[in-house]
Amino acid sequence: MKLNWFSPLPPAKSGIADYSFGILPELSRRAEVTLWTDRAGWDPQLEQYATVRRYQPERIDWVELNRAELSFYNIGNNHLHHAAIWQVSRQSPGIVILHDARLHDFFESLYRGQWRDQAGYLAQIEKHYGEEGLRIATEFVTARHGDYDFMAQRFSLTGAVLENSLGALVHTKNAFDELRVSNRHPVFYAPLPSAPILKSANTDGLPRPPYQLIIFGHIGRNRRLDAVLEALAQLSERNLFRLDIYGEIDDPKMLRQRIHTLNLKDTVTVHGYTPLAELDEALSTSHLAINLRYPTMGEASASQLRIWEHALPSLVTRVGWYASLSPDAVVHVHPDNEVADIRSHLETFLQDPARFARMGQHGRRLVETEHHPKTYVDTIISLVENAREFKLRQAAFYLAERSGTVMGSWTRLMTTDFDSPNRLARKIHSLTAQTASDTQAR
Amino acid sequence: MRVLITTVQVPFIRGGAEVHAEGLRDALRRFGHEAEILAIPFKWYPPEKILDHMLACQLLDITEVAGTPVDRVIGLKFPAYLIPHPNKVLWILHQHRTAYELWDHPLSDLVYFPNGSHVRDVIQQADRKLIPQARAVFANSQNVARRLKKFCDIDSTPLYHPPPDAEHFYCGPAEDYLFFPSRLCIPKRQALVLEALAHTRNPVRICFAGTSDQPAYADELKALARKLKVQQRADWLGPISGEEMRRRYAHAIAVIYPPTDEDYGYVTLEGMLASKPVITCTDSGGPLEFVADHETGVIAEPTPEALAAAFDSVWENRKQAKSWGEAGRDRYQSLNLSWKTVINKLLA
């Protein structure tokens, strides 16, 4: 069994690169894997498990690609990591693994930012959302400060990513429910797999102050750092906490100003991007993680799994995938009442740290049972085993669409009992449906 | 019986498949049947066009014509053999080869397309499902039957037929040339033969007969001959009449036919009919069903050196070449190839 895996790869600063690296040992045990990257360099450890091939989207070795039963395309919102992957996926259909259920940001930054192609962006919106979509998007691009959050929620553009795919694999039940409604592509759900951590949690008894809070990952506006700092500043016992911030920060200057203004210099330390080993070290000595997201792009969070691997309690926003997390394992923050909620939860933590520690333990059990890489790889392998079925299904849709386009010009005037569409459907079925023996053979 | 022969036609290209269909039609008429060839135009690129053609064939209705039933359909080539009919038999010349044995092969085109594997899987699925729906499945040769079994697990009966104008072939005194009649195209391997010519010890001369599917390819071959400095020993006859072709067969020392995995190959049988040894290769497919190495010809490795040795051997030992040619003629006679047998089986 052979499969192609398109993904950002370590050392790219991408959670999806870490996710791929995390499942690779198990995946390569079950299948021959070719990793495809558009970057010049990659972590040589990858080659213990797979062949690594470099490609350019406009110049790729299709022969090698065609030797595998199925290709997997990992797509997320960061166009720098995923543009080339998307370009290949449009040409050679495969399974798209959606790491974000709302991909407006990807298309907006790719078309308007990278390619300077506003018309292309608008054409995508029009294609998937019609004239009304085009009108709203035109207002958005002409406005001085367009509302990106509104656009992402209104126009997910997942259809643009999936239009030539064989199917979608998603990590959240919400995304699964949203996508399967259209019935155009097979949609599969598998909980995001956890990645192995490099340093175990410190479990020597109950935590003692000062309590270590931690925020990590790519720190953009949606991580609600403002609200966290505000809540900390309002807390009378804030000297009992230390907050460490790890990861790339969109606007470090503003963050520093904010820390200064709120007089939090002794409480907050900004570390910037940190290698995974150091991050694990920091997590292992932390007592509470703050993993807020608002707005959410519908993603499941690898960071959350990492938090649970360290048996850490966490504050998350009551939105999207995070809203579905068990209150036994996380504490929810309402997006409309962020500062007050965060402050209240921190006060509760001070009163009963043991209760929070139990949440962390519960989270760890969740990771071990529901997010195990082996379970995830089982899903990947079963998709490869069914690759032929997906290809036949896609051929059926191609023929139906092609026939519909050709017939559309003359069938409009036909009466409703005109049998051609039914006959056509039967013929397409006879060409592309598997026989019972095929199914049994699998 | 009213019989329709379904095949495909690539406009402006003519080869063994066209001759085969016409031979079948003519034979059916000779034996008193009404017969027509129904040729579907076929374009195989980009790959999704193949799907279009498959669906088009499935949608055709040839069960009757102007109220009169069509009694039998004989399907020859993909995707025309997918045209449905309740009394269809298949006599498969070959499947869509780049979806099967030529998939990951230098001659492939499908594998170079981004959606190549997807279209391949649909072709295979349709073949597996729809070929067995025919009331009988025959193959053009054992080679084609073997592929059907190997790739689709479909049993078929090899059914040989005589080449066109079989009764008009004859043998004459050998003159100083080897004869290689075929379309000029990569699968027939004229380039390999030119490279072999450059390795011969003797002043071997080869007459190539046939036209090219793509005019540029004929020029490429001539340029290769110049590069190898064998242009004086390679004659390019172009298209020749049937009579001229038989004359060339009759006076050759031997016939060269080293294609890549040929389905059947008239050239082998025509060489045998003209009592000439046939030089072929170990990977040539169909010809290997008829040529016995060092009995009715030579089966060489597909390398310039091995083929050159075969050319030298017949050039130097013409008596032996003559004897192998006569044994080939005897072998042909022993096969009892006849259109009567073919038609009896196809219309049973």
Side-chain angles (χ1 to χ4, degrees):
Chain A
M1 181 184 292
K2 191 170 177 184
L3 62 88
N4 297 311
W5 191 262
F6 288 79
S7 170
L9 298 176
K13 293 173 184 172
S14 152
I16 298 171
D18 298 336
Y19 137 92
S20 286
F21 189 64
I23 62 168
L24 193 55
E26 178 66 17
L27 191 59
S28 67
R29 208 176 57 73
R30 309 271 299 274
E32 188 181 342
V33 180
T34 303
L35 300 171
W36 295 83
T37 177
D38 63 333
R39 304 295 164 89
W42 53 84
D43 186 333
Q45 286 187 77
L46 293 165
E47 295 182 57
Q48 290 175 28
Y49 304 107
T51 304
V52 185
R53 293 286 306 263
R54 193 175 173 207
Y55 71 96
Q56 299 300 323
E58 64 282 358
R59 204 174 60 246
I60 184 165
D61 184 351
W62 295 120
V63 175
E64 184 57 32
L65 204 77
N66 275 320
R67 285 188 178 129
E69 278 106 308
L70 192 58
S71 296
F72 291 86
Y73 301 102
N74 286 281
I75 301 284
N77 258 318
N78 188 332
H79 72 281
L80 298 174
H81 289 312
H82 300 281
I85 296 173
W86 174 63
Q87 286 172 278
V88 177
S89 77
R90 298 175 80 185
Q91 300 174 74
S92 185
I95 298 291
V96 171
I97 301 178
L98 285 173
H99 291 265
D100 291 303
R102 314 214 159 272
L103 289 157
H104 174 270
D105 286 2
F106 171 77
F107 285 103
E108 194 277 334
S109 51
L110 179 64
Y111 275 97
R112 294 182 69 204
Q114 185 172 324
W115 291 345
R116 305 279 173 213
D117 179 11
Q118 186 158 294
Y121 163 75
L122 292 173
Q124 283 286 6
I125 294 277
E126 185 180 22
K127 181 175 179 182
H128 294 278
Y129 300 98
E131 287 179 17
E132 176 68 359
L134 177 63
R135 186 186 63 73
I136 295 169
T138 305
E139 282 174 14
F140 167 70
V141 298
T142 49
R144 187 153 180 195
H145 299 291
D147 187 341
Y148 283 81
D149 295 343
F150 168 78
M151 293 300 285
Q153 297 305 317
R154 178 77 187 263
F155 305 113
S156 72
L157 280 168
T158 42
V161 164
L162 297 179
E163 65 185 338
N164 197 33
S165 74
L166 298 179
L169 174 62
V170 296
H171 298 138
T172 71
K173 284 184 176 155
N174 286 347
F176 177 73
D177 290 338
E178 272 182 36
L179 287 173
R180 72 173 174 173
V181 167
S182 82
N183 204 30
R184 170 63 182 82
H185 298 94
V187 184
F188 305 93
Y189 163 69
L192 191 67
S194 61
I197 55 170
L198 307 171
K199 170 86 168 114
S200 300
N202 184 358
T203 52
D204 55 347
L206 276 178
R208 286 183 293 276
Y211 299 111
Q212 292 295 140
L213 309 178
I214 186 167
I215 296 177
F216 64 96
H218 183 98
I219 312 294
R221 200 170 41 83
N222 69 328
R223 299 301 300 272
R224 319 312 291 174
L225 206 49
D226 250 6
V228 176
L229 296 178
E230 184 82 33
L232 265 177
Q234 290 177 12
L235 209 60
S236 56
E237 296 169 291
R238 71 188 193 199
N239 61 320
L240 295 178
F241 289 107
R242 297 284 181 273
L243 170 62
D244 288 296
I245 302 172
Y246 293 91
E248 283 195 82
I249 293 156
D250 275 353
D251 194 342
K253 190 175 167 191
M254 185 176 281
L255 176 60
R256 278 196 300 274
Q257 277 177 355
R258 192 77 183 134
I259 291 168
H260 179 78
T261 308
L262 293 171
N263 198 22
L264 289 171
K265 275 199 299 189
D266 296 335
T267 308
V268 179
T269 309
V270 179
H271 298 269
Y273 177 77
T274 309
L276 220 46
E278 285 178 39
L279 179 63
D280 275 336
E281 183 73 39
L283 282 163
S284 71
T285 55
S286 297
H287 302 116
L288 176 66
I290 302 177
N291 192 28
L292 304 178
R293 295 287 191 294
Y294 187 73
T296 174
M297 296 299 149
E299 74 279 20
S301 167
S303 298
Q304 187 62 42
L305 302 189
R306 202 157 204 93
I307 290 164
W308 280 339
E309 287 265 27
H310 285 274
L312 276 179
S314 48
L315 307 189
V316 301
T317 312
R318 189 183 293 283
V319 64
W321 177 74
Y322 302 89
S324 71
L325 302 181
S326 165
D328 293 336
V330 297
V331 185
H332 285 109
V333 171
H334 198 284
D336 293 338
N337 198 32
E338 278 179 321
V339 175
D341 273 4
I342 296 165
R343 195 183 63 231
S344 158
H345 292 320
L346 292 176
E347 285 166 353
T348 310
F349 180 91
L350 290 175
Q351 289 161 16
D352 191 358
R355 187 183 137 217
F356 278 75
R358 285 196 296 276
M359 283 183 193
Q361 295 297 340
H362 189 85
R364 181 140 81 180
R365 282 194 293 279
L366 278 178
V367 168
E368 287 165 357
T369 53
E370 293 184 15
H371 298 273
H372 199 284
K374 184 179 176 308
T375 314
Y376 190 81
V377 169
D378 285 344
T379 303
I380 298 288
I381 296 298
S382 80
L383 293 175
V384 181
E385 287 168 348
N386 289 294
R388 178 183 285 265
E389 188 180 318
F390 303 141
K391 292 174 185 178
L392 294 172
R393 179 189 161 94
Q394 198 213 28
F397 271 98
Y398 161 78
L399 288 171
E401 284 165 4
R402 174 112 171 84
S403 309
T405 305
V406 172
M407 291 169 67
S409 61
W410 76 76
T411 53
R412 272 182 303 165
L413 301 176
M414 295 289 180
T415 57
T416 50
D417 61 353
F418 179 54
D419 189 48
S420 280
N422 288 333
R423 186 162 163 265
L424 194 60
R426 285 195 297 273
K427 294 298 180 184
I428 291 172
H429 184 263
S430 74
L431 282 170
T432 57
Q434 300 219 44
T435 58
S437 60
D438 287 332
T439 312
Q440 282 165 7
R442 275 207 322 277
Chain B
M1 273 191 181
R2 280 157 62 88
V3 183
L4 276 178
I5 300 159
T6 58
T7 185
V8 294
Q9 168 74 55
V10 180
F12 306 110
I13 291 182
R14 182 175 170 77
E18 286 68 33
V19 173
H20 183 133
E22 289 161 7
L24 175 59
R25 178 199 58 197
D26 295 346
L28 284 163
R29 287 176 177 173
R30 278 201 305 279
F31 287 96
H33 301 286
E34 274 188 83
E36 292 279 357
I37 295 171
L38 187 67
I40 307 298
F42 185 48
K43 183 169 178 280
W44 57 93
Y45 57 88
E48 57 269 25
K49 291 290 164 203
I50 299 173
L51 303 183
D52 293 357
H53 285 76
M54 290 166 68
L55 181 59
C57 286
Q58 273 278 288
L59 288 168
L60 292 175
D61 182 354
I62 54 171
T63 52
E64 60 173 44
V65 178
T68 310
V70 171
D71 302 313
R72 180 61 51 93
V73 163
I74 302 172
L76 299 183
K77 287 190 79 176
F78 172 89
Y81 61 54
L82 300 179
I83 300 172
H85 190 279
N87 280 314
K88 179 171 70 171
V89 298
L90 301 185
W91 189 20
I92 294 176
L93 271 60
H94 55 73
Q95 296 170 272
H96 192 70
R97 297 184 62 188
T98 56
Y100 294 100
E101 77 277 5
L102 296 184
W103 162 247
D104 197 357
H105 186 280
L107 291 176
S108 181
D109 52 0
L110 200 52
V111 75
Y112 291 96
F113 284 91
N115 58 349
S117 74
H118 305 76
V119 172
R120 175 200 60 186
D121 284 4
V122 179
I123 293 170
Q124 292 185 356
Q125 176 67 20
D127 274 354
R128 282 183 193 143
K129 187 171 166 187
L130 298 177
I131 287 176
Q133 290 178 3
R135 53 186 289 161
V137 182
F138 297 95
N140 196 25
S141 64
Q142 287 179 28
N143 195 27
V144 173
R146 183 188 53 76
R147 291 183 204 142
L148 268 166
K149 183 67 181 172
K150 177 180 175 184
F151 293 107
C152 297
D153 197 25
I154 294 173
D155 292 315
S156 61
T157 308
L159 182 57
Y160 294 144
H161 67 290
D165 298 319
E167 62 281 11
H168 294 130
F169 281 82
Y170 61 97
C171 180
E175 297 172 8
D176 284 346
Y177 69 89
L178 310 182
F179 187 42
F180 186 178
S182 268
R183 277 185 300 128
L184 306 182
C185 56
I186 292 170
K188 304 297 184 190
R189 296 206 287 214
Q190 281 90 358
L192 174 64
V193 168
L194 287 172
E195 286 174 37
L197 189 55
H199 281 79
T200 52
R201 296 187 306 270
N202 296 284
V204 175
R205 182 176 198 83
I206 297 176
C207 292
F208 294 88
T211 53
S212 173
D213 298 347
Q214 298 163 320
Y217 190 62
D219 294 336
E220 277 180 41
L221 288 172
K222 287 172 187 169
L224 178 63
R226 285 194 295 277
K227 184 180 164 196
L228 295 167
K229 298 188 179 7
V230 296
Q231 73 271 29
Q232 301 299 327
R233 296 193 282 134
D235 291 337
W236 303 97
L237 306 179
I240 56 175
S241 67
E243 191 180 341
E244 172 64 5
M245 187 177 71
R246 289 189 291 277
R247 193 183 73 73
R248 292 280 177 175
Y249 269 112
H251 295 286
I253 297 169
V255 169
I256 301 171
Y257 196 50
T260 303
D261 197 19
E262 181 63 85
D263 309 315
Y264 184 50
Y266 285 137
V267 174
T268 318
L269 297 171
E270 289 169 346
M272 293 162 80
L273 279 165
S275 301
K276 301 297 171 185
V278 177
I279 298 171
T280 189
C281 285
T282 50
D283 62 351
S284 287
L288 303 174
E289 295 172 33
F290 303 104
V291 178
D293 193 24
H294 289 79
E295 291 177 26
T296 65
V298 181
I299 300 173
E301 290 297 319
T303 64
E305 295 80 6
L307 271 176
F311 297 168
D312 278 325
S313 113
V314 292
W315 191 269
E316 290 167 2
N317 195 341
R318 300 197 187 188
K319 195 172 163 188
Q320 185 178 64
K322 186 167 184 292
S323 148
W324 286 350
E326 286 164 356
R329 173 90 193 184
D330 291 345
R331 161 95 169 116
Y332 180 90
Q333 300 296 358
S334 72
L335 292 169
N336 289 319
L337 305 187
S338 80
W339 278 111
K340 187 178 177 188
T341 309
V342 168
I343 285 168
N344 283 342
K345 291 197 171 174
L346 292 176
L347 299 188

